[in-house]
Amino acid sequence: MSTDTPGIDPLEALRAPRDPACDVFLTGPVFLDIIFTGLDSAPVRGAESWARGMGSSPGGVANMATALARLGLHTSLAAAFGDDHYGEYCWDALEQGEGIDLSMSHTVPGWHSPVTVSMAYEGERTMVSHGHEAPAPAPVAGTGSRAGATGTGTSTAAAAPVFPQCPPRARAAIASLAPGRSEPWVATAARDGALVFGDVGWDETGRWDLDALPDLAHCEAFLPNAEEAMRYTRTDCPRAAAHALAERVPLAVVTLGAEGAYAVDGRTGTAAAVPAIEVEALDPTGAGDVFVAGFVTGTLADWPLADRLAFAGLTAALSVQEFGGSLSAPGWAEIAAWWQLIRTCDRQDPAALERYAFLDDLLPATARAWPLRRAVPTIGFRQ
């Protein structure tokens, strides 16, 4: 986690006494990610390859949870953790290192943590994962306790309801949509006032049917990439796909990779396009998660649609210059340093700088020098 990050709360002006304590709730599997970078080419069968860089960090849903927390949002995560060293490291890194609320999470005795090895080269990545689905938490005992792993300790809230029966009240929730699957907590969160942001992955069924995503009906926003959006809408243009999706959800956001992002507000008909920031990418792991976190932040802060897109794209661009998913998520110190640097560079396009002028009202007048070291990319040194 970044040190000396400016204490910026993007929602400070909007907070009221009766607001939920949780800004964003999310759930999903946490992996231990081991990332190799600096490979000149793809590994060759039968040969040993050496990487010039390596990072280890919590991955999976932890990428997005970390990105949200580093942007100053009060983040709650419900996840299963193994009771091995990997699980202990991931729990501590998220709770102690990032300040993420894990009161809805639980440790599973005898279950080992899922692991992903990611190799980044030529602007792409190859991943190998291993893991088993975690058993559901028992509907007894308290939340946020590791007692089940060792048989010792006490629960932090005896007999308290556990997720998914009772998701916390939150301003927003992020749901991972999948064909044919409905998560009851999504409807509950939406009914309790949370804005639901729907993320989605590749449809392995090949049907690409929006009606097969039942939780889409509860979403405030849907954020597919260009290929996914075009397949779901049977269109051959990402912008046309965004307009088609805006007929199904209030806000459609389509990421365009190196070309930026395009969004349509279905309520007002407003559309916005923001080009991507050109950077030298080290590792694209988790960039999509960081984009979603940036967009959620801007939405909850009630920024104009174009500013939300620009901020999301900026945070994603900053992330790909660092190791790994959660390790690479930028905080306000990194954003402030980038803004200070970019304004002093020669030959900057004034129109491009104007696109990010809204940062002036958010960031401190001074920032640490660029580049910044965000975290130690390893499972931890002994003290």
Side-chain angles (χ1 to χ4, degrees), residues 2-296:
S2 302
T3 57
D4 347 288
T5 303
I8 294 176
D9 179 0
L11 308 186
E12 183 177 10
L14 302 175
R15 297 194 185 279
R18 295 182 180 274
D19 286 346
C22 174
D23 290 330
V24 187
F25 171 74
L26 66 168
T27 184
V30 172
F31 286 70
L32 173 72
D33 279 358
I34 301 173
I35 304 103
F36 293 102
T37 64
L39 290 164
D40 295 321
S41 62
V44 177
R45 181 177 179 180
E48 182 179 21
S49 298
W50 279 82
R52 290 187 291 275
M54 190 204 82
S56 302
S57 64
V61 72
N63 293 338
M64 196 175 295
T66 299
L68 291 162
R70 290 186 180 182
L71 292 176
L73 299 184
H74 305 158
T75 304
S76 176
L77 170 64
F81 289 79
D83 66 346
D84 51 11
H85 288 309
Y86 290 168
E88 182 179 3
Y89 161 72
C90 288
W91 185 295
D92 287 342
L94 296 174
E95 184 179 58
Q96 303 300 323
E98 305 294 347
I100 295 168
D101 172 27
L102 298 181
S103 62
M104 289 281 170
S105 294
H106 65 288
T107 298
V108 181
W111 181 67
H112 74 78
S113 301
V115 176
T116 292
V117 175
S118 176
M119 292 162 282
Y121 54 88
E122 298 174 354
E124 295 293 339
R125 57 179 176 154
T126 296
M127 296 180 290
V128 178
S129 297
H130 173 72
H132 305 281
E133 186 173 354
V140 294
T143 58
S145 171
R146 302 193 205 183
T150 62
T152 61
T154 58
S155 169
T156 56
V162 295
F163 179 81
Q165 288 82 6
C166 186
R169 183 168 164 258
R171 294 172 183 265
I174 299 174
S176 181
L177 309 183
R181 188 185 72 193
S182 178
E183 300 286 353
W185 74 265
V186 176
T188 301
R191 187 169 57 248
D192 289 345
L195 299 178
V196 179
F197 294 76
D199 194 10
V200 71
W202 191 258
D203 184 358
E204 299 293 346
T205 70
R207 293 175 55 201
W208 298 100
D209 181 8
L210 287 171
D211 291 330
L213 303 176
D215 289 333
L216 187 64
H218 306 296
C219 289
E220 167 72 13
F222 184 46
L223 300 96
N225 64 31
E227 184 67 21
E228 294 159 351
M230 290 187 292
R231 286 177 179 268
Y232 270 120
T233 58
R234 310 298 192 268
T235 59
D236 57 5
C237 168
R239 296 191 178 205
H243 284 276
L245 290 172
E247 298 176 2
R248 300 288 297 262
V249 290
L251 191 58
V253 182
V254 177
T255 55
L256 309 175
E259 297 180 17
Y262 186 78
V264 179
D265 187 326
R267 295 189 180 102
T268 65
T270 301
V274 174
I277 297 173
E278 293 185 12
V279 295
E280 184 175 346
L282 173 67
D283 177 21
T285 303
D289 296 327
V290 174
F291 180 95
V292 173
F295 190 82
V296 170

